[in-house]
């Protein structure tokens, strides 16, 4: 079955950086667009970023451009999110999610359990 396992979260200082990872299995990773979604404490889900099959096309929430970078390594079946210049409002559980197809905006059908990022001094 499809499995997505996030890692790399933790406690960081404001202005710090992290690289989140998502190990994928149970499907042909290279055939699907992938996403990162987050949920801040007490708030709803917020889509963050997506990447196409070969990693050459990426998209972000506008205010995150320049700080967040999504990437993938298809040989390792792994999705990444590099987050720089972290702010307190970035505190959230970050989930990776599989798109329904190769399309970037086709919805998501499988989710990982998430990894918690806490930004605090």
């Amino acid at each position: 079955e499809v499995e997505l396992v996030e890692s790399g979260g933790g406690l960081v200082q404001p202005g710090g950086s992290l690289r989140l990872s998502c190990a994928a299995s149970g499907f042909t990773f290279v055939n699907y667009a992938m996403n990162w979604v987050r949920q801040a404490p007490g708030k709803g889900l917020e889509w963050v970023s997506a990447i196409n099959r070969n990693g050459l096309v990426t998209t972000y929430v506008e205010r995150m451009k320049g700080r967040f970078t999504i990437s993938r390594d298809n040989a390792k079946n792994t999705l990444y999110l590099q987050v720089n210049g972290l702010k307190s409002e970035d505190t959230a559980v970050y989930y990776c999610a599989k798109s329904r197809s190769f399309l970037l905006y086709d919805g998501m059908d499988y989710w990982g359990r998430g990894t918690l990022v806490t930004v605090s001094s």
Side-chain angles (χ1 to χ4, degrees), residues 14 24 43 49 64 75 114 120:
K43 302 190 70 176
S49 183
M64 296 177 186
S120 182

Side-chain angles (χ1 to χ4, degrees), residues 12-16 85-88 119-121:
V12 296
Q13 305 278 305
L86 285 163
K87 306 173 182 179
S88 60
V119 184
S120 182
S121 59

Side-chain angles (χ1 to χ4, degrees), residues 9 15 32 45 52 55-56 58-59 61 73 79 82 85 90 93 101 106 116:
Y32 294 88
L45 294 169
N52 81 326
L56 297 179
T58 60
T59 185
V61 172
D73 187 337
L79 176 73
Q82 178 71 38
D90 294 322
V93 176
S101 71
D106 200 31
L116 177 63

Side-chain angles (χ1 to χ4, degrees), residues 30-50:
V30 71
N31 287 347
Y32 294 88
M34 295 293 295
N35 308 265
W36 286 99
V37 182
R38 71 183 186 182
Q39 186 170 31
K43 302 190 70 176
L45 294 169
E46 179 185 28
W47 177 86
V48 173
S49 183

Side-chain angles (χ1 to χ4, degrees), residues 17-74:
S17 299
L18 287 173
R19 189 174 77 158
L20 309 182
S21 298
C22 172
S25 61
F27 65 102
T28 305
F29 183 72
V30 71
N31 287 347
Y32 294 88
M34 295 293 295
N35 308 265
W36 286 99
V37 182
R38 71 183 186 182
Q39 186 170 31
K43 302 190 70 176
L45 294 169
E46 179 185 28
W47 177 86
V48 173
S49 183
I51 187 167
N52 81 326
R53 291 175 292 172
N54 62 14
L56 297 179
V57 180
T58 60
T59 185
Y60 306 86
V61 172
E62 185 64 31
R63 65 180 178 273
M64 296 177 186
K65 290 181 179 179
R67 294 199 301 118
F68 285 39
T69 304
I70 190 171
S71 62
R72 66 193 295 163
D73 187 337
N74 288 335

